[in-house]
Amino acid sequence: MTDSKYLRALVSLALVSLLAACATVGQPSAPTVADGASAAASAPDAAASAPVAAAPAASAPEGTASADSGPAVAAPIDPLRPEEKVDLNAPTATIDLWSRVRKGYAMPDLDTELVRAAERWYASRPDYVQRMTERGSRYLFHIVEEVERRGVPTELALLPFVESAFNPQAISSAKASGMWQFMPATGSTFSLKQNVFRDDRRSVLDSTRAALDYLGRLHDMFGDWHLALAAYNWGEGNVQRAIARNRRAGKPTDYLSLRMPNETEFYVPKLQAVKNIVLHPETFLLSLPSLDNHPYFLSVPIERDIDVALAVRLAGVSHEEFQTLNPQMNRPVILAAGTPQLLLPYENASQFVRNIGEHRGPLATWTAWVAPRTLRVADVAKQVGMSEGELREVNKIPPRMLVKAGSTLLVPRAESRTTDVSEHLADNGTMSLVSETPPLRRVALKAGKRDSVASVAKRYRVSATQVALWNKTTAGANFKPGQTIYVFVAAKAPTRAAAKKAPVRTAKRPAKRTRVAGK
């Protein structure tokens, strides 16, 4: 257990002991996706006063969390303020969250034609703006809290509107992923794990932390928020080179003076347009959903591996709602060592803790398995006791691929095995595949006097259609003597031995570095 996880466990256990005596609530109703933050606002008074403490796990069949292994989960908490009680009835909780955003504006305004164009684009799509803001309502409180805690402009809380329309599952054509659109390498730089079990670029908490860390670093580098945003979109090296070009030419080096790609040139104006719409939506004939000033979700620390399907059922939420708050999951099991907390709507977090304490039976039916050597998928399926089709589906293995040694796969957990997946595997599990057929290499040949597509195909044990395609001719065609013929053979195939099966039928001196058909 890492130091951070140990400290989190201490905090969670302390909350459990403090709240266990008074944490009693009625059965809450689960908010749907359409309910948004208003569902949390209607929680009963008892639920607003204190989260439910984790019930200790009772004795159960093998594969469950036993009493001496500790509870499967801890009390729900606000992930940014775990030491404070969440009170949905507090006076500050009824303040409109948009007003906090507006009060924190601190970036210089842009007033350009590109800003006007972006305003017109959003204003002409009210349905899109409505969907985008409703989706963002789940995350905005947390992001605004993070932004204010760092003392940076609240315009940064609006950046996911521009990056992904607040879709944590968004993937760009360049493979940027998540609400904040991290590229794989940049995500790794900011400690966003990407492996077979999870992609933290999609994590609500982790990606927000990383994005604000990155933007803060860029601001320190350039001393200007507009340039920092340009670097976030285009790359810091590109912005530095653009600034250096302008300096050499004696030109200004502000955002509007740099030569940039169209996307980056339009990037800050789009954020300015969103900022203006949030400030005065009525000016653009748009309306924003009311957002209460309290968490939409709570964090539930988990101490045992648990299937996603079981977590969804015990929490009383839809799978879609679960995915909007926990989008980093790559597999149908949540590993406590790699994803130590779940995010759930306020009252569903309390329901989850209550129900998991009463649950009897295994929490996780999946575990990790490391391939001892390179194997066919069918052979792996036999070893782990599942069908080949199911193994391919759950691990996303395409046809005609071998599983390389050292790969980590998700497989059914044996009834006798109660050990959860280790932190090392949860953080570093990778899967490598290799084609079942060896790679092909092109071989150039010189045609003999009587060589045809059919004769070359027979000699190299391939179809005439293949040889015809390789040489852009027809399956019944003959080759001219001395003509260059191309065939593709396995990289490790004994091509010279295969070629000796036919007599020489070419000129005595073939072209340099080519082989002779039939030789």
Side-chain angles (χ1 to χ4, degrees):
M1 182 178 287
T2 62
D3 291 343
S4 60
K5 190 171 181 182
Y6 178 71
L7 290 173
R8 185 174 56 252
L10 287 179
V11 171
S12 300
L13 289 174
L15 283 168
V16 170
S17 60
L18 288 171
L19 298 173
C22 61
T24 56
V25 297
Q27 181 76 9
S29 58
T32 63
V33 173
D35 289 334
S38 61
S42 64
D45 291 346
S49 62
V52 176
S59 59
E62 289 185 329
T64 66
S66 59
D68 57 1
S69 67
V73 298
I77 55 174
D78 180 345
L80 284 182
R81 300 179 180 178
E83 72 287 350
E84 294 185 15
K85 180 178 68 176
V86 178
D87 184 358
L88 301 190
N89 293 322
T92 56
T94 59
I95 297 172
D96 183 17
L97 183 61
W98 293 116
S99 66
R100 284 181 67 187
V101 175
R102 295 172 188 128
K103 287 179 182 177
Y105 285 173
M107 290 185 192
D109 285 327
L110 287 181
D111 188 8
T112 66
E113 180 50 39
L114 288 180
V115 175
R116 303 285 86 79
E119 290 172 344
R120 289 192 295 270
W121 191 92
Y122 285 118
S124 67
R125 293 165 174 81
D127 292 344
Y128 174 78
V129 173
Q130 183 71 15
R131 288 194 306 273
M132 182 170 64
T133 51
E134 285 180 355
R135 195 157 51 216
S137 67
R138 295 174 173 82
Y139 317 114
L140 262 174
F141 177 84
H142 174 80
I143 297 172
V144 171
E145 288 275 295
E146 276 272 27
V147 163
E148 289 186 345
R149 189 172 67 167
R150 294 164 184 254
V152 296
T154 53
E155 287 98 326
L156 297 182
L158 304 176
L159 192 59
F161 283 123
V162 175
E163 284 287 351
S164 64
F166 266 106
N167 179 5
Q169 301 282 8
I171 301 177
S172 75
S173 58
K175 304 304 181 185
S177 183
M179 188 162 56
W180 295 92
Q181 289 291 281
F182 271 96
M183 294 292 287
T186 310
S188 297
T189 299
F190 287 89
S191 302
L192 297 177
K193 291 283 184 180
Q194 301 154 63
N195 57 41
V196 294
F197 295 111
R198 71 185 199 273
D199 187 342
D200 286 343
R201 294 179 299 158
R202 300 195 300 263
S203 166
V204 174
L205 302 184
D206 293 324
S207 69
T208 298
R209 182 267 309 158
L212 295 178
D213 284 349
Y214 188 23
L215 286 163
R217 190 180 83 174
L218 292 171
H219 182 260
D220 291 342
M221 182 182 299
F222 295 105
D224 178 273
W225 281 113
H226 291 163
L227 292 176
L229 288 164
Y232 188 88
N233 175 258
W234 190 24
E236 56 205 68
N238 289 323
V239 173
Q240 287 171 329
R241 285 186 285 275
I243 290 173
R245 279 196 300 270
N246 276 29
R247 282 202 182 112
R248 288 194 299 270
K251 296 179 180 178
T253 58
D254 61 292
Y255 173 79
L256 292 176
S257 300
L258 299 183
R259 189 172 73 251
M260 298 175 288
N262 290 338
E263 179 186 333
T264 308
E265 188 179 10
F266 202 34
Y267 188 68
V268 176
K270 284 172 70 176
L271 181 61
Q272 179 71 51
V274 172
K275 171 182 175 179
N276 295 345
I277 289 169
V278 169
L279 187 62
H280 295 296
E282 66 283 353
T283 301
F284 305 95
L285 303 180
L286 295 170
S287 61
L288 302 178
S290 177
L291 299 182
D292 291 328
N293 188 37
H294 60 67
Y296 176 82
F297 57 78
L298 291 182
S299 165
V300 182
I302 61 170
E303 307 298 335
R304 300 296 308 276
D305 295 354
I306 182 171
D307 288 350
V308 170
L310 178 61
V312 167
R313 178 166 63 83
L314 295 179
V317 296
S318 68
H319 188 269
E320 179 184 10
E321 175 74 347
F322 185 88
Q323 286 295 324
T324 63
L325 296 179
N326 303 277
Q328 70 272 23
M329 311 296 183
N330 285 338
R331 296 292 185 263
V333 66
I334 305 153
L335 305 184
T339 307
Q341 58 190 348
L342 299 181
L343 303 185
L344 294 169
Y346 182 87
E347 58 266 38
N348 297 94
S350 299
Q351 179 177 337
F352 175 70
V353 172
R354 225 180 15 255
N355 288 343
I356 203 169
E358 299 170 356
H359 177 70
R360 299 296 177 266
L363 294 173
T365 59
W366 298 96
T367 190
W369 180 87
V370 179
R373 61 185 185 280
T374 300
L375 293 164
R376 295 188 308 126
V377 176
D379 295 333
V380 174
K382 288 178 183 178
Q383 287 195 35
V384 301
M386 61 191 303
S387 70
E388 180 180 347
E390 186 182 17
L391 181 68
R392 287 186 183 278
E393 181 179 2
V394 76
N395 291 284
K396 302 175 184 177
I397 304 174
R400 296 182 292 280
M401 301 298 286
L402 300 174
V403 177
K404 290 188 69 174
S407 293
T408 303
L409 279 72
L410 197 66
V411 302
R413 181 183 292 213
E415 291 184 5
S416 59
R417 181 171 182 177
T418 60
T419 306
D420 288 338
V421 176
S422 69
E423 185 173 358
H424 175 76
L425 268 186
D427 280 345
N428 302 291
T430 59
M431 183 169 64
S432 299
L433 304 173
V434 62
S435 175
E436 285 183 341
T437 56
L440 299 178
R441 62 186 179 91
R442 191 174 75 165
V443 176
L445 313 162
K446 287 294 184 181
K449 291 181 180 179
R450 291 182 294 276
D451 271 326
S452 65
V453 170
S455 66
V456 172
K458 183 177 180 181
R459 189 175 306 130
Y460 286 89
R461 299 179 182 179
V462 294
S463 69
T465 302
Q466 284 179 303
V467 175
L469 287 172
W470 293 336
N471 293 277
K472 298 180 181 179
T473 185
T474 62
N478 294 318
F479 293 114
K480 296 178 181 178
Q483 178 181 344
T484 300
I485 306 170
Y486 295 106
V487 295
F488 287 82
V489 298
K492 296 181 180 180
T495 55
R496 187 178 298 275
K500 287 182 178 179
K501 291 182 179 179
V504 176
R505 297 189 298 248
T506 62
K508 291 182 180 179
R509 294 187 179 183
K512 189 177 181 181
R513 292 185 181 177
T514 62
R515 289 187 182 155
V516 179
K519 178 101 174 176

